[in-house]
Amino acid sequence: MKKSAIAAMILSTTLGWAQSKTSNDTAYVQIIPLPAVELDEVQILGTWASKNQPIAQINLAEKDVESINTGRDLPYVLQDVAGVVSFSDAGNGVGYTNMRVRGSDITRINVTVNGIPMNDAESHSVFWVNTPDLMSSTNALQLQKGVGSSSNGSGAFGATLGMSTLGAGQKGGRVTIGGGSYNTQRFTAQASTGLSKDGFWMNTRLSRITSDGYVDRASSDLNSYYLSGGFSGGGHFVELVRFGGGERTYQAWWGIDSTTMYGGAWPAAPTTNYAGALYDDAWNVIGTYNDQVDNYSQEHTQLHYRFYNLFGGTFAAALHHTGGAGYYEEYNQGYDFADFGLPAYISGLDTVAYGDVVSRKWLDNDFYGATASWVRENDGTQWVLGGGAHRYDGDHFGKVIWANHPDVSAIDNEYYRGIGQKDDANVYGKWTRSQNNVLFYADAQYRYVNHDAEGGSASGEANFNRTFHFFNPKAGLTYDLPKDQILGAYVGMSHREPNRTDLQYAADPFAIKAERMLDVELTYKGQHESLRWDLNAYHQQYQNQLVLTGEIDNQGYAIRKNVGNSFRRGLEGAFTFNLTEALEASANVALSQNINQDFISHTGSSARNTTIAFSPAMLAGGRLTYAQKGIEASLWNQFVSKQYISNEGLEAHTLPSYHIANARLGYTFEYDHTNTVQLFFEARNLANTSYAANGYMWGATPYYYAQATRNYMFGLTFMF
């Protein structure tokens, strides 16, 4: 069958999927394309850094993404980057996954797709599970460490992560099928018409991933789609992008205690999942609730426009809307009926005030706005002007769908409702000047934020109205040394407002302070014969940092607290050496010191000069890759040193260090001179190590999230 016919078939199938509706119980969704976009082209978004600017950065092109994309979420794709720690609730990289960069969690990492903010406006988090298999949509990716370059959305402390899906792509398509341990299954189909003679194109993609998870019952049922169409000609570029994701994921965010994780009074049982467990009167587990699930769908719509000759520069603008709706369902055993709006009732001579209730805690929200930028280059000088304005409207409400209570009239009524509204606007200007061997860089941003909340939520009342004004200046330079070497220096300031949880749990929401960070970085990169290196030294000084206390609320959100002064400083290095034409060795290391200078615990006791939670002092990795005649084989590993779960510096509150080794074998061959087949087999955690990469504190007790022992993934891709 001809390529165009197959592409048309997949395109029409996706159009049918995109029109399907989401029921209240299950969200059915789909996924995305792989156009060829060069990094320089993405610069016109205004938020990405140029390769020669003095900003510590990692850039991945489409071919880089393809070679490491196995269906696991983006945090696992970035595991090889110095300073990155990845983990997942289910333990195997499918479902709820997350990452930290330089010890900063995802709420402190600015994430954009095509220049549009992805961080949830209220929680500041990014839920990769809502857009599963997003990496299969990405044709370019940039991770800027630290404050980085001015961007739309929340302020960056740990990193700025930009992804691009824009462009026509190459004519044809591909189908990927795969699977692996824990009954993991993956199916992806995508197609592109390519750029027609008239300048039009259309891209589409479907994806479905399911997995039982390493942890008991930590199952995931993930669907997604991507559809885009565009035109380029006469100095104009227009593209309409629509993508969405839906997930039904069994909860696994409770974790396990130390004895269950590592053994002691009884044998270790790291796959134990207490979420959904049902108990008898003696608190023995007698069963599980089958629908202890998170069920959410999210749809993204973006309209992009570029004009390539406005006052001698390129003008880019975008309108966007993100709509999300869903709930998590929970069996609440032995709870006070009053907590769910149910009255006590009389049974014989007794007043019954406690019982079992099944609740659904809903979030229905909309995020919409616009971005714009103008980029001009002339005689070694580049000017960038840009900004954006966004609004978030969120409804938080809870419903009871069952209770062992005779008054069923209250069933399905709301027992709480609250609203959240947030306005976020920014303008920025950037200037770069190259002269002789020196590049000068300057960047300044003003950002306005207003966050208003009223009423109830799943974790209690949330009533506050806070307004913030931030000025974020940045400057730096690079100097071209002889023999392909570059030395750079950078200093930047960033501010971040508290998120909804910070303000909600505060005794006085107006006492919570915005965070400020001054980031100083030195970079040195170059190459000599077969050796390439990228070195970076940094010092990040915080004022009023909102650090993770290690505690979580009843929805699994991390609780944070202002700690006054604190700092992170470290050295990062990445090295690549071509041993032969076919054999390459690479290594990276991140050494850091992360200190709370003024931490006061939640009990009021002082714990000064302690290590910031979830900040390992050492991360190291290495990779050996052989690639020749269609064969690619890799062996790589990662070492993560001890991490503290709380900020008191107590040895009992730690995640032990771990070392994980992995291997991958791939083979690519052509048939019929036009079609290509790719096969891969990947084995992770070869030594079958039992370890935890994340945890939290519940009172004085640490809890851990177990990660998968030895596990496998395989895949087969047909490209036509």
Side-chain angles (χ1 to χ4, degrees), residues 247-260:
E247 53 94 5
R248 183 178 173 89
T249 306
Y250 198 97
Q251 296 170 21
W253 59 55
W254 289 20
I256 52 178
D257 58 76
S258 177
T259 303
T260 306

Side-chain angles (χ1 to χ4, degrees), residues 91-112:
N92 65 326
V94 179
Y96 273 93
T97 62
N98 222 317
M99 66 179 182
R100 298 189 181 95
V101 180
R102 292 182 176 175
S104 290
D105 65 278
I106 192 63
T107 67
R108 310 161 77 76
I109 300 172
N110 174 279
V111 181
T112 60

